[in-house]
Amino acid sequence: MASTPETMPDGRPAIGLIGLGAFGQLAARHLAPHADLTGHDPHAPMPDGVQAVTLAEAAAQPVVILAVPVQALGEVAAAIAPHIQPGALVIDVASVKLEPMRILRETLPAGTRILGTHPLFGPQSAAQGVAGQSIVLCPEPGVDPECAASFLRERLALDVHLSDADTHDRTMASVQALTHLVSKVITDLDLPPAPYTTRSFELLAEAARLVSQDSDALFRAIERHNPHAADLRRRFFEAARALDKRLAE
Amino acid sequence: MASTPETMPDGRPAIGLIGLGAFGQLAARHLAPHADLTGHDPHAPMPDGVQAVTLAEAAAQPVVILAVPVQALGEVAAAIAPHIQPGALVIDVASVKLEPMRILRETLPAGTRILGTHPLFGPQSAAQGVAGQSIVLCPEPGVDPECAASFLRERLALDVHLSDADTHDRTMASVQALTHLVSKVITDLDLPPAPYTTRSFELLAEAARLVSQDSDALFRAIERHNPHAADLRRRFFEAARALDKRLAE
């Protein structure tokens, strides 16, 4: 990777990681071999390979990753804004993209390079590693994502997709809002274990199991902070009602 | 396998296969190496290894397999009843068990040995073979399922589960009625292909894809002819409504 504003002379980027919840911990583990990591989270333990610093110090790094729930992003963005260095690259990892990128654009200093990302994996689905997993990058207009994309491809072996925030949120309404809705309903049914099952049931149960370990904050982010999710839910319930009616005939 | 009323002196059972739709064809393919098969279906081609015979001839075999939709079972049972031999073993393969077994009991001659079965696989899920797939056997009281169970285990490498019809239908309301309901709704949504997805979505989409190739008759059998399915659907819709309400708050 060429030396750019966000890399140190030795080619290792200096990254301030703000938020070390379930996803921040996963990110720290996979980034530590490839970057100089500083971290800040008053509510979580600092993992190996991450130097604990103040919020101001983490926010003053050339690359800042905000691994906080979308519900907390406004407050965190306001707190870090005074410490962001000119031209710094600020990355969020929320499961929706329109709202977080609007918040960062409205709150961070002009000239901050904003790169929205959505890693399409989490601690459950990446339990065996992140290689081959997908990540979506939604750069703000004028931000070149190529340096970050190369890093993610070459160091972490991720499958990198470039998109814009609206296309991302539309796609994720079908993909994630649907999956989480169905999985949550199945989990809520609290079905007894079955002595014999079918292949399609096993697939459905595995999807529900993966999703059941995600936080409620993530579920609400996916369903409530994606402007296209409500429409997808409406269509799902309409299709379900139509099917139920057809079966009652 | 010891010689029993349903096996020929050479140990190969003589089986009359009535109905050669999607499942009958699959059954014929896997039974042909191990049994003398005669078959009857005026609406389907007779596969290799199956000798085409009249309905009366197929029904007069020591073992009769009825691979017809549950919706047609009453009519077929009435048509074969005069031809069933004393002590013959009559097997159905419907995805529900209470209703087909009641129909057979009420329609076939006294002394007919009735063995309800539910192969938990089909042409899609057994595309790579049936070994390791599951089948549920629900023998009528007084019918010893062991000979059939040994055959299925030893010749077809199936995982054999013994159950009673009510336990089966209760279990399948959770397993199959739920899976088919969710999969049908997802298929009905007709979502555009997504350029990037998550692991849990892929599992859900694969479940929907497996189910989408099943016939509408099978879907209706699972949802309408299982007396416990309506309750499962009601609970599913209640849980979905509760979740939708919680998201709207």
mmCIF file with all atom_site columns, all heavy atoms in Angstrom, chain A residues 163 168 189 196 220 224 235 237 240 246 249, chain B residues 163 168 189 196 220 224 235 237 240 246 249:
data_model
loop_
_atom_site.group_PDB
_atom_site.id
_atom_site.type_symbol
_atom_site.label_atom_id
_atom_site.label_alt_id
_atom_site.label_comp_id
_atom_site.label_asym_id
_atom_site.label_entity_id
_atom_site.label_seq_id
_atom_site.pdbx_PDB_ins_code
_atom_site.Cartn_x
_atom_site.Cartn_y
_atom_site.Cartn_z
_atom_site.occupancy
_atom_site.B_iso_or_equiv
_atom_site.pdbx_formal_charge
_atom_site.auth_seq_id
_atom_site.auth_comp_id
_atom_site.auth_asym_id
_atom_site.auth_atom_id
_atom_site.pdbx_PDB_model_num
ATOM 1   N N   . SER A 1 163 ? -20.624 1.007   -3.356 1.00 0.00 ? 163 SER A N   1
ATOM 2   C CA  . SER A 1 163 ? -22.034 1.326   -3.545 1.00 0.00 ? 163 SER A CA  1
ATOM 3   C C   . SER A 1 163 ? -22.272 2.767   -3.117 1.00 0.00 ? 163 SER A C   1
ATOM 4   O O   . SER A 1 163 ? -21.351 3.455   -2.689 1.00 0.00 ? 163 SER A O   1
ATOM 5   C CB  . SER A 1 163 ? -22.877 0.357   -2.701 1.00 0.00 ? 163 SER A CB  1
ATOM 6   O OG  . SER A 1 163 ? -24.233 0.416   -3.050 1.00 0.00 ? 163 SER A OG  1
ATOM 7   N N   . HIS A 1 168 ? -27.352 0.995   -1.122 1.00 0.00 ? 168 HIS A N   1
ATOM 8   C CA  . HIS A 1 168 ? -27.071 0.104   -0.005 1.00 0.00 ? 168 HIS A CA  1
ATOM 9   C C   . HIS A 1 168 ? -28.312 -0.111  0.856  1.00 0.00 ? 168 HIS A C   1
ATOM 10  O O   . HIS A 1 168 ? -28.683 -1.246  1.172  1.00 0.00 ? 168 HIS A O   1
ATOM 11  C CB  . HIS A 1 168 ? -25.939 0.659   0.860  1.00 0.00 ? 168 HIS A CB  1
ATOM 12  C CG  . HIS A 1 168 ? -25.795 -0.099  2.148  1.00 0.00 ? 168 HIS A CG  1
ATOM 13  N ND1 . HIS A 1 168 ? -26.564 0.203   3.260  1.00 0.00 ? 168 HIS A ND1 1
ATOM 14  C CD2 . HIS A 1 168 ? -25.032 -1.162  2.493  1.00 0.00 ? 168 HIS A CD2 1
ATOM 15  C CE1 . HIS A 1 168 ? -26.258 -0.652  4.228  1.00 0.00 ? 168 HIS A CE1 1
ATOM 16  N NE2 . HIS A 1 168 ? -25.336 -1.484  3.787  1.00 0.00 ? 168 HIS A NE2 1
ATOM 17  N N   . LEU A 1 189 ? -41.198 -17.341 18.560 1.00 0.00 ? 189 LEU A N   1
ATOM 18  C CA  . LEU A 1 189 ? -42.142 -18.467 18.651 1.00 0.00 ? 189 LEU A CA  1
ATOM 19  C C   . LEU A 1 189 ? -41.699 -19.495 19.687 1.00 0.00 ? 189 LEU A C   1
ATOM 20  O O   . LEU A 1 189 ? -42.516 -20.235 20.218 1.00 0.00 ? 189 LEU A O   1
ATOM 21  C CB  . LEU A 1 189 ? -42.272 -19.171 17.286 1.00 0.00 ? 189 LEU A CB  1
ATOM 22  C CG  . LEU A 1 189 ? -43.158 -18.490 16.250 1.00 0.00 ? 189 LEU A CG  1
ATOM 23  C CD1 . LEU A 1 189 ? -43.102 -19.263 14.935 1.00 0.00 ? 189 LEU A CD1 1
ATOM 24  C CD2 . LEU A 1 189 ? -44.603 -18.422 16.749 1.00 0.00 ? 189 LEU A CD2 1
ATOM 25  N N   . TYR A 1 196 ? -37.125 -34.713 14.494 1.00 0.00 ? 196 TYR A N   1
ATOM 26  C CA  . TYR A 1 196 ? -36.745 -34.926 13.095 1.00 0.00 ? 196 TYR A CA  1
ATOM 27  C C   . TYR A 1 196 ? -37.154 -33.680 12.326 1.00 0.00 ? 196 TYR A C   1
ATOM 28  O O   . TYR A 1 196 ? -38.153 -33.034 12.634 1.00 0.00 ? 196 TYR A O   1
ATOM 29  C CB  . TYR A 1 196 ? -37.409 -36.177 12.489 1.00 0.00 ? 196 TYR A CB  1
ATOM 30  C CG  . TYR A 1 196 ? -38.796 -36.483 13.033 1.00 0.00 ? 196 TYR A CG  1
ATOM 31  C CD1 . TYR A 1 196 ? -39.907 -35.807 12.546 1.00 0.00 ? 196 TYR A CD1 1
ATOM 32  C CD2 . TYR A 1 196 ? -38.985 -37.440 14.027 1.00 0.00 ? 196 TYR A CD2 1
ATOM 33  C CE1 . TYR A 1 196 ? -41.178 -36.081 13.040 1.00 0.00 ? 196 TYR A CE1 1
ATOM 34  C CE2 . TYR A 1 196 ? -40.246 -37.713 14.529 1.00 0.00 ? 196 TYR A CE2 1
ATOM 35  C CZ  . TYR A 1 196 ? -41.346 -37.034 14.030 1.00 0.00 ? 196 TYR A CZ  1
ATOM 36  O OH  . TYR A 1 196 ? -42.592 -37.297 14.526 1.00 0.00 ? 196 TYR A OH  1
ATOM 37  N N   . ARG A 1 220 ? -32.915 -2.961  15.902 1.00 0.00 ? 220 ARG A N   1
ATOM 38  C CA  . ARG A 1 220 ? -33.650 -1.710  15.722 1.00 0.00 ? 220 ARG A CA  1
ATOM 39  C C   . ARG A 1 220 ? -32.993 -0.824  14.664 1.00 0.00 ? 220 ARG A C   1
ATOM 40  O O   . ARG A 1 220 ? -33.678 -0.125  13.909 1.00 0.00 ? 220 ARG A O   1
ATOM 41  C CB  . ARG A 1 220 ? -33.758 -0.954  17.053 1.00 0.00 ? 220 ARG A CB  1
ATOM 42  C CG  . ARG A 1 220 ? -34.769 -1.615  17.969 1.00 0.00 ? 220 ARG A CG  1
ATOM 43  C CD  . ARG A 1 220 ? -34.775 -1.024  19.375 1.00 0.00 ? 220 ARG A CD  1
ATOM 44  N NE  . ARG A 1 220 ? -35.832 -1.634  20.150 1.00 0.00 ? 220 ARG A NE  1
ATOM 45  C CZ  . ARG A 1 220 ? -37.068 -1.147  20.269 1.00 0.00 ? 220 ARG A CZ  1
ATOM 46  N NH1 . ARG A 1 220 ? -37.396 -0.011  19.696 1.00 0.00 ? 220 ARG A NH1 1
ATOM 47  N NH2 . ARG A 1 220 ? -37.976 -1.779  20.971 1.00 0.00 ? 220 ARG A NH2 1
ATOM 48  N N   . ARG A 1 224 ? -35.392 0.189   11.926 1.00 0.00 ? 224 ARG A N   1
ATOM 49  C CA  . ARG A 1 224 ? -35.933 1.540   12.116 1.00 0.00 ? 224 ARG A CA  1
ATOM 50  C C   . ARG A 1 224 ? -35.087 2.632   11.499 1.00 0.00 ? 224 ARG A C   1
ATOM 51  O O   . ARG A 1 224 ? -35.583 3.721   11.242 1.00 0.00 ? 224 ARG A O   1
ATOM 52  C CB  . ARG A 1 224 ? -36.098 1.818   13.611 1.00 0.00 ? 224 ARG A CB  1
ATOM 53  C CG  . ARG A 1 224 ? -37.087 0.868   14.246 1.00 0.00 ? 224 ARG A CG  1
ATOM 54  C CD  . ARG A 1 224 ? -37.238 1.104   15.717 1.00 0.00 ? 224 ARG A CD  1
ATOM 55  N NE  . ARG A 1 224 ? -37.886 2.368   15.994 1.00 0.00 ? 224 ARG A NE  1
ATOM 56  C CZ  . ARG A 1 224 ? -38.424 2.671   17.172 1.00 0.00 ? 224 ARG A CZ  1
ATOM 57  N NH1 . ARG A 1 224 ? -38.392 1.797   18.149 1.00 0.00 ? 224 ARG A NH1 1
ATOM 58  N NH2 . ARG A 1 224 ? -38.982 3.838   17.369 1.00 0.00 ? 224 ARG A NH2 1
ATOM 59  N N   . ARG A 1 235 ? -44.724 -4.910  2.874  1.00 0.00 ? 235 ARG A N   1
ATOM 60  C CA  . ARG A 1 235 ? -44.921 -5.883  1.790  1.00 0.00 ? 235 ARG A CA  1
ATOM 61  C C   . ARG A 1 235 ? -44.901 -7.317  2.329  1.00 0.00 ? 235 ARG A C   1
ATOM 62  O O   . ARG A 1 235 ? -45.662 -8.168  1.881  1.00 0.00 ? 235 ARG A O   1
ATOM 63  C CB  . ARG A 1 235 ? -43.842 -5.704  0.716  1.00 0.00 ? 235 ARG A CB  1
ATOM 64  C CG  . ARG A 1 235 ? -44.036 -4.423  -0.095 1.00 0.00 ? 235 ARG A CG  1
ATOM 65  C CD  . ARG A 1 235 ? -42.891 -4.228  -1.086 1.00 0.00 ? 235 ARG A CD  1
ATOM 66  N NE  . ARG A 1 235 ? -42.721 -5.382  -1.942 1.00 0.00 ? 235 ARG A NE  1
ATOM 67  C CZ  . ARG A 1 235 ? -41.565 -5.769  -2.490 1.00 0.00 ? 235 ARG A CZ  1
ATOM 68  N NH1 . ARG A 1 235 ? -40.459 -5.088  -2.263 1.00 0.00 ? 235 ARG A NH1 1
ATOM 69  N NH2 . ARG A 1 235 ? -41.500 -6.839  -3.248 1.00 0.00 ? 235 ARG A NH2 1
ATOM 70  N N   . PHE A 1 237 ? -45.816 -8.319  5.355  1.00 0.00 ? 237 PHE A N   1
ATOM 71  C CA  . PHE A 1 237 ? -47.067 -8.604  6.064  1.00 0.00 ? 237 PHE A CA  1
ATOM 72  C C   . PHE A 1 237 ? -48.230 -8.721  5.089  1.00 0.00 ? 237 PHE A C   1
ATOM 73  O O   . PHE A 1 237 ? -49.128 -9.539  5.279  1.00 0.00 ? 237 PHE A O   1
ATOM 74  C CB  . PHE A 1 237 ? -47.337 -7.547  7.139  1.00 0.00 ? 237 PHE A CB  1
ATOM 75  C CG  . PHE A 1 237 ? -46.411 -7.684  8.320  1.00 0.00 ? 237 PHE A CG  1
ATOM 76  C CD1 . PHE A 1 237 ? -45.537 -6.670  8.678  1.00 0.00 ? 237 PHE A CD1 1
ATOM 77  C CD2 . PHE A 1 237 ? -46.392 -8.863  9.063  1.00 0.00 ? 237 PHE A CD2 1
ATOM 78  C CE1 . PHE A 1 237 ? -44.672 -6.818  9.751  1.00 0.00 ? 237 PHE A CE1 1
ATOM 79  C CE2 . PHE A 1 237 ? -45.527 -9.010  10.145 1.00 0.00 ? 237 PHE A CE2 1
ATOM 80  C CZ  . PHE A 1 237 ? -44.674 -7.994  10.481 1.00 0.00 ? 237 PHE A CZ  1
ATOM 81  N N   . ALA A 1 240 ? -47.965 -12.132 3.540  1.00 0.00 ? 240 ALA A N   1
ATOM 82  C CA  . ALA A 1 240 ? -48.336 -13.152 4.537  1.00 0.00 ? 240 ALA A CA  1
ATOM 83  C C   . ALA A 1 240 ? -49.847 -13.192 4.709  1.00 0.00 ? 240 ALA A C   1
ATOM 84  O O   . ALA A 1 240 ? -50.445 -14.272 4.761  1.00 0.00 ? 240 ALA A O   1
ATOM 85  C CB  . ALA A 1 240 ? -47.646 -12.850 5.870  1.00 0.00 ? 240 ALA A CB  1
ATOM 86  N N   . ARG A 1 246 ? -55.651 -17.092 1.405  1.00 0.00 ? 246 ARG A N   1
ATOM 87  C CA  . ARG A 1 246 ? -55.777 -18.123 0.385  1.00 0.00 ? 246 ARG A CA  1
ATOM 88  C C   . ARG A 1 246 ? -55.903 -19.507 1.039  1.00 0.00 ? 246 ARG A C   1
ATOM 89  O O   . ARG A 1 246 ? -56.663 -20.360 0.582  1.00 0.00 ? 246 ARG A O   1
ATOM 90  C CB  . ARG A 1 246 ? -54.536 -18.074 -0.525 1.00 0.00 ? 246 ARG A CB  1
ATOM 91  C CG  . ARG A 1 246 ? -54.599 -18.937 -1.765 1.00 0.00 ? 246 ARG A CG  1
ATOM 92  C CD  . ARG A 1 246 ? -53.632 -18.439 -2.827 1.00 0.00 ? 246 ARG A CD  1
ATOM 93  N NE  . ARG A 1 246 ? -52.244 -18.819 -2.576 1.00 0.00 ? 246 ARG A NE  1
ATOM 94  C CZ  . ARG A 1 246 ? -51.740 -20.030 -2.810 1.00 0.00 ? 246 ARG A CZ  1
ATOM 95  N NH1 . ARG A 1 246 ? -52.498 -20.983 -3.293 1.00 0.00 ? 246 ARG A NH1 1
ATOM 96  N NH2 . ARG A 1 246 ? -50.472 -20.276 -2.577 1.00 0.00 ? 246 ARG A NH2 1
ATOM 97  N N   . GLU A 1 249 ? -59.421 -20.243 2.405  1.00 0.00 ? 249 GLU A N   1
ATOM 98  C CA  . GLU A 1 249 ? -60.533 -20.409 1.434  1.00 0.00 ? 249 GLU A CA  1
ATOM 99  C C   . GLU A 1 249 ? -60.965 -21.867 1.297  1.00 0.00 ? 249 GLU A C   1
ATOM 100 O O   . GLU A 1 249 ? -60.137 -22.756 1.226  1.00 0.00 ? 249 GLU A O   1
ATOM 101 C CB  . GLU A 1 249 ? -60.091 -19.872 0.065  1.00 0.00 ? 249 GLU A CB  1
ATOM 102 C CG  . GLU A 1 249 ? -60.362 -18.382 -0.082 1.00 0.00 ? 249 GLU A CG  1
ATOM 103 C CD  . GLU A 1 249 ? -59.529 -17.761 -1.210 1.00 0.00 ? 249 GLU A CD  1
ATOM 104 O OE1 . GLU A 1 249 ? -58.922 -18.491 -2.003 1.00 0.00 ? 249 GLU A OE1 1
ATOM 105 O OE2 . GLU A 1 249 ? -59.498 -16.506 -1.267 1.00 0.00 ? 249 GLU A OE2 1
ATOM 106 N N   . SER B 1 163 ? -42.538 -42.904 15.111 1.00 0.00 ? 163 SER B N   1
ATOM 107 C CA  . SER B 1 163 ? -43.361 -41.891 15.767 1.00 0.00 ? 163 SER B CA  1
ATOM 108 C C   . SER B 1 163 ? -44.818 -42.338 15.700 1.00 0.00 ? 163 SER B C   1
ATOM 109 O O   . SER B 1 163 ? -45.128 -43.389 15.130 1.00 0.00 ? 163 SER B O   1
ATOM 110 C CB  . SER B 1 163 ? -43.166 -40.548 15.065 1.00 0.00 ? 163 SER B CB  1
ATOM 111 O OG  . SER B 1 163 ? -43.686 -39.483 15.823 1.00 0.00 ? 163 SER B OG  1
ATOM 112 N N   . HIS B 1 168 ? -46.149 -36.808 15.067 1.00 0.00 ? 168 HIS B N   1
ATOM 113 C CA  . HIS B 1 168 ? -45.610 -36.388 13.768 1.00 0.00 ? 168 HIS B CA  1
ATOM 114 C C   . HIS B 1 168 ? -46.249 -35.082 13.299 1.00 0.00 ? 168 HIS B C   1
ATOM 115 O O   . HIS B 1 168 ? -45.545 -34.136 12.926 1.00 0.00 ? 168 HIS B O   1
ATOM 116 C CB  . HIS B 1 168 ? -45.847 -37.467 12.712 1.00 0.00 ? 168 HIS B CB  1
ATOM 117 C CG  . HIS B 1 168 ? -45.536 -36.984 11.332 1.00 0.00 ? 168 HIS B CG  1
ATOM 118 N ND1 . HIS B 1 168 ? -46.456 -36.271 10.571 1.00 0.00 ? 168 HIS B ND1 1
ATOM 119 C CD2 . HIS B 1 168 ? -44.398 -37.022 10.602 1.00 0.00 ? 168 HIS B CD2 1
ATOM 120 C CE1 . HIS B 1 168 ? -45.888 -35.932 9.424  1.00 0.00 ? 168 HIS B CE1 1
ATOM 121 N NE2 . HIS B 1 168 ? -44.644 -36.381 9.428  1.00 0.00 ? 168 HIS B NE2 1
ATOM 122 N N   . LEU B 1 189 ? -42.686 -12.349 -2.393 1.00 0.00 ? 189 LEU B N   1
ATOM 123 C CA  . LEU B 1 189 ? -42.179 -10.963 -2.380 1.00 0.00 ? 189 LEU B CA  1
ATOM 124 C C   . LEU B 1 189 ? -41.435 -10.640 -3.675 1.00 0.00 ? 189 LEU B C   1
ATOM 125 O O   . LEU B 1 189 ? -41.318 -9.470  -4.046 1.00 0.00 ? 189 LEU B O   1
ATOM 126 C CB  . LEU B 1 189 ? -41.228 -10.748 -1.189 1.00 0.00 ? 189 LEU B CB  1
ATOM 127 C CG  . LEU B 1 189 ? -41.880 -10.524 0.169  1.00 0.00 ? 189 LEU B CG  1
ATOM 128 C CD1 . LEU B 1 189 ? -40.800 -10.442 1.248  1.00 0.00 ? 189 LEU B CD1 1
ATOM 129 C CD2 . LEU B 1 189 ? -42.712 -9.249  0.163  1.00 0.00 ? 189 LEU B CD2 1
ATOM 130 N N   . TYR B 1 196 ? -24.979 -7.786  -2.937 1.00 0.00 ? 196 TYR B N   1
ATOM 131 C CA  . TYR B 1 196 ? -24.203 -8.250  -1.775 1.00 0.00 ? 196 TYR B CA  1
ATOM 132 C C   . TYR B 1 196 ? -25.205 -8.671  -0.703 1.00 0.00 ? 196 TYR B C   1
ATOM 133 O O   . TYR B 1 196 ? -26.270 -8.075  -0.562 1.00 0.00 ? 196 TYR B O   1
ATOM 134 C CB  . TYR B 1 196 ? -23.249 -7.167  -1.244 1.00 0.00 ? 196 TYR B CB  1
ATOM 135 C CG  . TYR B 1 196 ? -23.758 -5.751  -1.378 1.00 0.00 ? 196 TYR B CG  1
ATOM 136 C CD1 . TYR B 1 196 ? -24.660 -5.231  -0.470 1.00 0.00 ? 196 TYR B CD1 1
ATOM 137 C CD2 . TYR B 1 196 ? -23.338 -4.937  -2.432 1.00 0.00 ? 196 TYR B CD2 1
ATOM 138 C CE1 . TYR B 1 196 ? -25.133 -3.930  -0.599 1.00 0.00 ? 196 TYR B CE1 1
ATOM 139 C CE2 . TYR B 1 196 ? -23.818 -3.639  -2.579 1.00 0.00 ? 196 TYR B CE2 1
ATOM 140 C CZ  . TYR B 1 196 ? -24.719 -3.141  -1.650 1.00 0.00 ? 196 TYR B CZ  1
ATOM 141 O OH  . TYR B 1 196 ? -25.195 -1.866  -1.782 1.00 0.00 ? 196 TYR B OH  1
ATOM 142 N N   . ARG B 1 220 ? -50.407 -27.053 0.126  1.00 0.00 ? 220 ARG B N   1
ATOM 143 C CA  . ARG B 1 220 ? -51.733 -27.107 0.738  1.00 0.00 ? 220 ARG B CA  1
ATOM 144 C C   . ARG B 1 220 ? -51.866 -28.300 1.686  1.00 0.00 ? 220 ARG B C   1
ATOM 145 O O   . ARG B 1 220 ? -52.519 -28.203 2.732  1.00 0.00 ? 220 ARG B O   1
ATOM 146 C CB  . ARG B 1 220 ? -52.813 -27.160 -0.348 1.00 0.00 ? 220 ARG B CB  1
ATOM 147 C CG  . ARG B 1 220 ? -52.987 -25.797 -1.023 1.00 0.00 ? 220 ARG B CG  1
ATOM 148 C CD  . ARG B 1 220 ? -53.911 -25.845 -2.220 1.00 0.00 ? 220 ARG B CD  1
ATOM 149 N NE  . ARG B 1 220 ? -54.094 -24.499 -2.741 1.00 0.00 ? 220 ARG B NE  1
ATOM 150 C CZ  . ARG B 1 220 ? -55.095 -23.694 -2.387 1.00 0.00 ? 220 ARG B CZ  1
ATOM 151 N NH1 . ARG B 1 220 ? -56.022 -24.107 -1.562 1.00 0.00 ? 220 ARG B NH1 1
ATOM 152 N NH2 . ARG B 1 220 ? -55.179 -22.473 -2.865 1.00 0.00 ? 220 ARG B NH2 1
ATOM 153 N N   . ARG B 1 224 ? -52.945 -27.255 5.160  1.00 0.00 ? 224 ARG B N   1
ATOM 154 C CA  . ARG B 1 224 ? -54.384 -27.444 5.383  1.00 0.00 ? 224 ARG B CA  1
ATOM 155 C C   . ARG B 1 224 ? -54.748 -28.819 5.896  1.00 0.00 ? 224 ARG B C   1
ATOM 156 O O   . ARG B 1 224 ? -55.796 -28.988 6.501  1.00 0.00 ? 224 ARG B O   1
ATOM 157 C CB  . ARG B 1 224 ? -55.145 -27.174 4.086  1.00 0.00 ? 224 ARG B CB  1
ATOM 158 C CG  . ARG B 1 224 ? -54.971 -25.735 3.633  1.00 0.00 ? 224 ARG B CG  1
ATOM 159 C CD  . ARG B 1 224 ? -55.684 -25.477 2.343  1.00 0.00 ? 224 ARG B CD  1
ATOM 160 N NE  . ARG B 1 224 ? -57.129 -25.521 2.506  1.00 0.00 ? 224 ARG B NE  1
ATOM 161 C CZ  . ARG B 1 224 ? -57.975 -25.011 1.631  1.00 0.00 ? 224 ARG B CZ  1
ATOM 162 N NH1 . ARG B 1 224 ? -57.521 -24.418 0.546  1.00 0.00 ? 224 ARG B NH1 1
ATOM 163 N NH2 . ARG B 1 224 ? -59.261 -25.077 1.823  1.00 0.00 ? 224 ARG B NH2 1
ATOM 164 N N   . ARG B 1 235 ? -49.989 -18.439 15.567 1.00 0.00 ? 235 ARG B N   1
ATOM 165 C CA  . ARG B 1 235 ? -48.923 -17.977 16.470 1.00 0.00 ? 235 ARG B CA  1
ATOM 166 C C   . ARG B 1 235 ? -47.874 -17.175 15.703 1.00 0.00 ? 235 ARG B C   1
ATOM 167 O O   . ARG B 1 235 ? -47.335 -16.187 16.200 1.00 0.00 ? 235 ARG B O   1
ATOM 168 C CB  . ARG B 1 235 ? -48.271 -19.164 17.183 1.00 0.00 ? 235 ARG B CB  1
ATOM 169 C CG  . ARG B 1 235 ? -49.192 -19.797 18.220 1.00 0.00 ? 235 ARG B CG  1
ATOM 170 C CD  . ARG B 1 235 ? -48.552 -21.046 18.818 1.00 0.00 ? 235 ARG B CD  1
ATOM 171 N NE  . ARG B 1 235 ? -47.230 -20.764 19.375 1.00 0.00 ? 235 ARG B NE  1
ATOM 172 C CZ  . ARG B 1 235 ? -46.237 -21.646 19.452 1.00 0.00 ? 235 ARG B CZ  1
ATOM 173 N NH1 . ARG B 1 235 ? -46.414 -22.876 19.013 1.00 0.00 ? 235 ARG B NH1 1
ATOM 174 N NH2 . ARG B 1 235 ? -45.073 -21.301 19.956 1.00 0.00 ? 235 ARG B NH2 1
ATOM 175 N N   . PHE B 1 237 ? -48.326 -15.352 12.975 1.00 0.00 ? 237 PHE B N   1
ATOM 176 C CA  . PHE B 1 237 ? -48.848 -14.024 12.646 1.00 0.00 ? 237 PHE B CA  1
ATOM 177 C C   . PHE B 1 237 ? -48.961 -13.148 13.889 1.00 0.00 ? 237 PHE B C   1
ATOM 178 O O   . PHE B 1 237 ? -48.707 -11.951 13.834 1.00 0.00 ? 237 PHE B O   1
ATOM 179 C CB  . PHE B 1 237 ? -50.189 -14.135 11.917 1.00 0.00 ? 237 PHE B CB  1
ATOM 180 C CG  . PHE B 1 237 ? -50.023 -14.645 10.501 1.00 0.00 ? 237 PHE B CG  1
ATOM 181 C CD1 . PHE B 1 237 ? -50.622 -15.813 10.088 1.00 0.00 ? 237 PHE B CD1 1
ATOM 182 C CD2 . PHE B 1 237 ? -49.228 -13.953 9.587  1.00 0.00 ? 237 PHE B CD2 1
ATOM 183 C CE1 . PHE B 1 237 ? -50.445 -16.288 8.802  1.00 0.00 ? 237 PHE B CE1 1
ATOM 184 C CE2 . PHE B 1 237 ? -49.046 -14.428 8.298  1.00 0.00 ? 237 PHE B CE2 1
ATOM 185 C CZ  . PHE B 1 237 ? -49.657 -15.602 7.903  1.00 0.00 ? 237 PHE B CZ  1
ATOM 186 N N   . ALA B 1 240 ? -45.481 -11.948 14.642 1.00 0.00 ? 240 ALA B N   1
ATOM 187 C CA  . ALA B 1 240 ? -45.094 -10.949 13.643 1.00 0.00 ? 240 ALA B CA  1
ATOM 188 C C   . ALA B 1 240 ? -45.768 -9.611  13.927 1.00 0.00 ? 240 ALA B C   1
ATOM 189 O O   . ALA B 1 240 ? -45.135 -8.554  13.865 1.00 0.00 ? 240 ALA B O   1
ATOM 190 C CB  . ALA B 1 240 ? -45.468 -11.453 12.241 1.00 0.00 ? 240 ALA B CB  1
ATOM 191 N N   . ARG B 1 246 ? -44.030 -3.326  18.093 1.00 0.00 ? 246 ARG B N   1
ATOM 192 C CA  . ARG B 1 246 ? -42.892 -2.887  18.909 1.00 0.00 ? 246 ARG B CA  1
ATOM 193 C C   . ARG B 1 246 ? -41.982 -1.972  18.084 1.00 0.00 ? 246 ARG B C   1
ATOM 194 O O   . ARG B 1 246 ? -41.446 -0.991  18.598 1.00 0.00 ? 246 ARG B O   1
ATOM 195 C CB  . ARG B 1 246 ? -42.125 -4.125  19.396 1.00 0.00 ? 246 ARG B CB  1
ATOM 196 C CG  . ARG B 1 246 ? -41.027 -3.844  20.399 1.00 0.00 ? 246 ARG B CG  1
ATOM 197 C CD  . ARG B 1 246 ? -40.678 -5.093  21.202 1.00 0.00 ? 246 ARG B CD  1
ATOM 198 N NE  . ARG B 1 246 ? -39.831 -6.030  20.485 1.00 0.00 ? 246 ARG B NE  1
ATOM 199 C CZ  . ARG B 1 246 ? -38.509 -5.884  20.333 1.00 0.00 ? 246 ARG B CZ  1
ATOM 200 N NH1 . ARG B 1 246 ? -37.880 -4.826  20.827 1.00 0.00 ? 246 ARG B NH1 1
ATOM 201 N NH2 . ARG B 1 246 ? -37.807 -6.787  19.686 1.00 0.00 ? 246 ARG B NH2 1
ATOM 202 N N   . GLU B 1 249 ? -43.294 1.646   17.752 1.00 0.00 ? 249 GLU B N   1
ATOM 203 C CA  . GLU B 1 249 ? -43.344 2.490   18.964 1.00 0.00 ? 249 GLU B CA  1
ATOM 204 C C   . GLU B 1 249 ? -42.267 3.564   18.966 1.00 0.00 ? 249 GLU B C   1
ATOM 205 O O   . GLU B 1 249 ? -41.117 3.283   18.650 1.00 0.00 ? 249 GLU B O   1
ATOM 206 C CB  . GLU B 1 249 ? -43.184 1.595   20.199 1.00 0.00 ? 249 GLU B CB  1
ATOM 207 C CG  . GLU B 1 249 ? -44.518 1.040   20.692 1.00 0.00 ? 249 GLU B CG  1
ATOM 208 C CD  . GLU B 1 249 ? -44.317 -0.171  21.599 1.00 0.00 ? 249 GLU B CD  1
ATOM 209 O OE1 . GLU B 1 249 ? -43.184 -0.441  22.025 1.00 0.00 ? 249 GLU B OE1 1
ATOM 210 O OE2 . GLU B 1 249 ? -45.320 -0.867  21.851 1.00 0.00 ? 249 GLU B OE2 1
#
